[in-house]
């Protein structure tokens, strides 16, 4: 695997949530390569932007917060699902919101999982672990073209 | 002359001096009789008329026929009460120039000409040699009219307008004709006043209903704006408050978990309190959001089996009942017309409370049943033999975040009963409680029939 391989793209603007997510993932050695985008524009730039080496190696999993600066998570999700290059990458929506409108909105756009970040850290760790474990290790996805 | 009213030609010239039939004058008695017949005809034909211009045309045509006038017009005071507007002008000028119609159709100022003079004086005005008259309006004189007579339409001493007739012959109108026209004017003036009042009333009613409608629209807009604001507030509460809370809770847990051995007991205790306070606050936020969502979803009413609903809810609490001795008694209850999802929450909250407050009982008894009140109203009830409460605080029972027990004794956020009340109220029902300290509590509620969503 080349050095720039990314297992997970974490799109999250809250420093604490980034740190807590990394702690949870690191604890179980689920993912070694995690790229962090701190807003929607950065995430899209990472996925679709040109690099010196040509086409980006795409992540195996995207963990996406909904409430993001610049371009919100719903729009990021819409563009990921609309583009054939990224439409098959599993997306887990990770958010504080329990509002049904979010839920309905994201499921319509073809999100693969929807996780409300629990206030309780142990629950949070277990939720993140389950996501990471399921999508990284168990889920056999078709090769991304 | 265009005449479409019932046979007024038969009485042509009964008032007239201008075109008296050559075969001899009518006797006074005959003239009187003909006049009353004509007035009777007029009264019959105007009865039930609701349109001012139709009424005016009928009157002018009758008056012209009665008097043998060459032309006629009817004027009414405008809404601003500053000028007289022609409602109808007969369109047959006969030997007179066609321009006459346009001249008579002009708006008249009170005090000006024959019509304005009669209106202002509230008395008939007759001019037999119009071109030579001091007050003559040159335009009218130029049409060749020689005799002009105007009769004010009086009602309650007010002039509503004028009936004006014109003759090409001089001195064509005598006193008898004027008296006859006055009689005619007196007969029809109340009809104009009635139409005017109906018009004013209709307009004001329209204005009132338009105002009301606008008010409803305004209020609805305001209400919708407030609702959207509330929704976005709920959204940001959900998003923005939970995030820092998660940090507080998580980092205190990480410290407890990963650095436990390095922390003195007191520090561990402090962190434990921070962590559990954060969890409690998270539960409060969740409950508050759930509560705010209760009001936003439209009710979907259908027939609900309350017995089955209560049974299902009790089954859901099976894990909470492990290790306790509880007797549930659910009687067969009449169904009701309500939103099953929301009614389930009513039972869930009430049964949850009953379970909670009977915890100290060796044997907890929880009954779900009903009674029939006035007007055959079904009153559902959930009764327990638990801790109860003092009825003097009953008014606080259903308020959001209101609690009657210390959280050390009985956990809870104080949203459950507020939610129950909200749901019952949305169904057009009532809820109340009866209890005594240490002697159990009973909650009663009704579900309204056929009522629309009470909001």
């Amino acid at each position: 695997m080349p050095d720039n391989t990314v297992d997970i793209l974490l799109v999250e603007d809250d420093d604490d949530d980034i740190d807590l997510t990394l702690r949870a993932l690191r604890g179980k050695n689920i993912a070694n390569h995690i790229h962090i985008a701190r807003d929607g524009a950065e995430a899209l730039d990472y996925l679709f932007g040109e690099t010196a080496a040509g086409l980006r190696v795409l992540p195996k999993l995207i963990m996406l917060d909904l409430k993001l600066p610049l371009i919100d998570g719903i729009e990021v999700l819409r563009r990921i699902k609309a583009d054939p290059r990224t439409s098959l990458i599993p997306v887990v929506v990770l958010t504080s919101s329990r509002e049904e409108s979010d839920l309905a909105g994201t499921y319509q756009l073809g999100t693969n999982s929807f996780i409300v970040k629990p206030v309780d850290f142990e629950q949070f760790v277990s939720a993140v672990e389950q996501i990471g474990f399921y999508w990284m290790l168990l889920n056999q996805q078709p090769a991304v073209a | 002359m265009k005449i479409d009213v019932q046979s007024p030609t038969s009485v042509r010239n009964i008032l007239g001096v201008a075109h008296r039939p050559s075969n001899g004058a009518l006797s006074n008695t005959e003239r009187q009789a003909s006049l009353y017949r004509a007035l009777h005809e007029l009264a019959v034909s105007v009865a039930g008329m609701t349109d001012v211009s139709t009424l005016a045309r009928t009157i002018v045509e009758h008056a012209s026929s009665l008097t043998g006038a060459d032309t006629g017009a009817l004027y009414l005071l405008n809404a601003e009460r500053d000028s007289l507007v022609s409602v109808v002008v007969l369109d047959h000028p006969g030997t007179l120039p066609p321009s006459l119609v346009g001249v008579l159709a002009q708006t008249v100022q009170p005090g000006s000409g024959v019509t304005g003079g009669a209106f202002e004086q509230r008395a008939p005005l007759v001019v037999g040699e119009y071109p030579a008259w001091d007050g003559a309006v040159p335009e009218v004189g130029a049409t060749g009219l020689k005799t002009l007579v105007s009769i004010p339409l009086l009602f309650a001493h007010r002039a509503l307008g004028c009936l004006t007739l014109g003759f090409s012959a001089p001195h064509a109108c005598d006193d008898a004709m004027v008296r006859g026209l006055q009689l005619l004017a007196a007969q029809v003036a109340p009809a104009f006043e009635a139409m005017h009042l109906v018009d004013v009333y209709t307009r004001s009613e329209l204005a009132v209903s338009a105002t009301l409608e606008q008010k409803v629209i305004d209020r609805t807009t305001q209400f919708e704006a407030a609702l959207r604001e509330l929704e976005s507030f709920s959204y940001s509460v959900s998003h923005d408050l939970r995030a820092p809370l998660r940090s507080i809770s998580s980092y205190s847990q990480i410290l407890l978990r990963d650095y436990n051995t390095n922390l003195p007991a007191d520090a561990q205790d402090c962190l434990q309190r921070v962590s559990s306070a954060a969890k409690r606050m998270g539960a409060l936020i969740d409950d508050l959001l759930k509560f705010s969502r209760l009001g936003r979803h439209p009710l979907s009413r259908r027939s609900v089996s309350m017995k089955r609903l209560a049974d299902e809810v009790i089954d859901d609490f099976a894990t909470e009942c492990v290790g306790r001795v509880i007797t549930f008694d659910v009687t067969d209850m009449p169904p009701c017309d309500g939103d099953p999802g929301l009614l389930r929450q009513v039972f869930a909250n009430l049964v949850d409370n009953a379970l909670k407050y009977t915890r100290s009982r060796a044997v907890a008894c929880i009954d779900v049943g009903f009674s029939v009140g006035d007007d055959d109203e079904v009153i559902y009830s959930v009764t327990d033999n638990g801790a109860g409460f003092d009825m003097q605080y009953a008014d606080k029972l259903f308020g959001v975040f209101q609690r009657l027990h210390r959280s050390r004794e009985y956990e809870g956020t104080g949203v459950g009963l507020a939610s129950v009340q909200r749901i019952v109220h949305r169904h057009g029902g009532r809820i109340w409680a009866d209890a005594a300290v240490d002697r159990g509590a009973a909650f009663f509620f009704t579900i309204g029939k056929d009522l629309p969503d009470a909001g």
Side-chain angles (χ1 to χ4, degrees), chain B residues 357-372:
Chain B
Y357 294 109
T358 52
R359 211 154 43 198
S360 60
R361 297 293 184 260
V363 178
C365 299
I366 298 170
D367 297 345
V368 183
F370 78 103
S371 58
V372 178

Side-chain angles (χ1 to χ4, degrees), chain A residues 14 16-17 19-20 23 66-67 95-102 116-122 124-125, chain B residues 234-236 238-240 242-243 245-247 249-251 253-254 257 278-279 282 286 293 296-297:
Chain A
D14 187 287
D16 286 354
D17 281 347
D19 179 67
L20 291 169
R23 279 170 187 268
L66 277 192
K67 209 180 179 193
T95 179
S96 297
S97 172
R98 280 170 185 263
E99 295 288 272
E100 292 100 329
S101 54
D102 286 348
V116 177
K117 298 177 207 165
V119 166
D120 186 274
F121 181 64
E122 295 306 329
F124 184 64
V125 168
Chain B
S234 306
Y235 187 86
S236 66
S238 156
H239 263 107
D240 300 349
R242 281 174 59 94
L245 205 56
R246 192 166 47 251
S247 297
S249 160
S250 299
Y251 286 108
Q253 280 179 46
I254 289 167
R257 188 190 67 181
K279 272 185 217 169
D286 286 351
R293 275 201 291 268
R296 297 214 305 268
H297 289 286

Side-chain angles (χ1 to χ4, degrees), chain B residues 262-291:
Chain B
N262 302 331
L263 290 172
D266 190 41
Q268 286 183 34
D269 182 55
C270 291
L271 282 171
Q272 201 65 59
R273 285 170 191 275
V274 170
S275 170
S276 69
K279 272 185 217 169
R280 229 169 32 244
M281 188 170 164
L284 280 171
I285 292 171
D286 286 351
D287 278 0
L288 194 59
L289 286 170
K290 260 187 248 164
F291 179 70

Side-chain angles (χ1 to χ4, degrees), chain B residues 182-221:
Chain B
Q182 273 183 291
L183 200 57
L184 185 150
Q187 199 177 20
V188 297
F192 281 108
E193 180 66 2
M195 282 183 189
H196 171 67
L197 290 177
V198 166
D199 186 49
V200 167
Y201 175 74
T202 311
R203 276 171 206 273
S204 67
E205 206 176 29
L206 282 175
V208 166
S209 72
T211 313
L212 273 177
E213 206 170 310
Q214 189 55 47
K215 266 190 185 162
V216 170
I217 291 168
D218 288 351
R219 291 281 152 81
T220 309
T221 312

Side-chain angles (χ1 to χ4, degrees), chain A residues 51-115:
Chain A
T51 63
L55 200 62
R56 171 91 60 208
V57 175
L58 292 165
K60 291 180 183 166
L61 175 71
I62 298 168
M63 293 172 82
L64 179 66
D65 188 32
L66 277 192
K67 209 180 179 193
L68 293 168
L70 303 180
I71 298 171
D72 71 23
I74 302 270
E75 177 61 16
V76 172
L77 182 61
R78 199 188 62 73
R79 296 214 205 157
I80 289 170
K81 290 299 170 188
D83 194 302
R85 288 173 291 173
T86 51
S87 63
L88 291 174
I89 303 174
V91 178
V92 173
V93 168
L94 252 182
T95 179
S96 297
S97 172
R98 280 170 185 263
E99 295 288 272
E100 292 100 329
S101 54
D102 286 348
L103 199 66
T106 46
Y107 273 122
Q108 259 171 12
L109 289 168
T111 183
N112 300 84
S113 293
F114 182 91
I115 304 289

Side-chain angles (χ1 to χ4, degrees), chain B residues 60-82:
Chain B
V60 176
E61 284 173 351
H62 261 84
S64 308
S65 307
L66 283 168
T67 58
D70 294 289
T71 186
L74 194 141
Y75 303 85
L76 289 174
L77 190 62
N78 64 358
E80 291 75 31
R81 312 184 78 84
D82 57 7

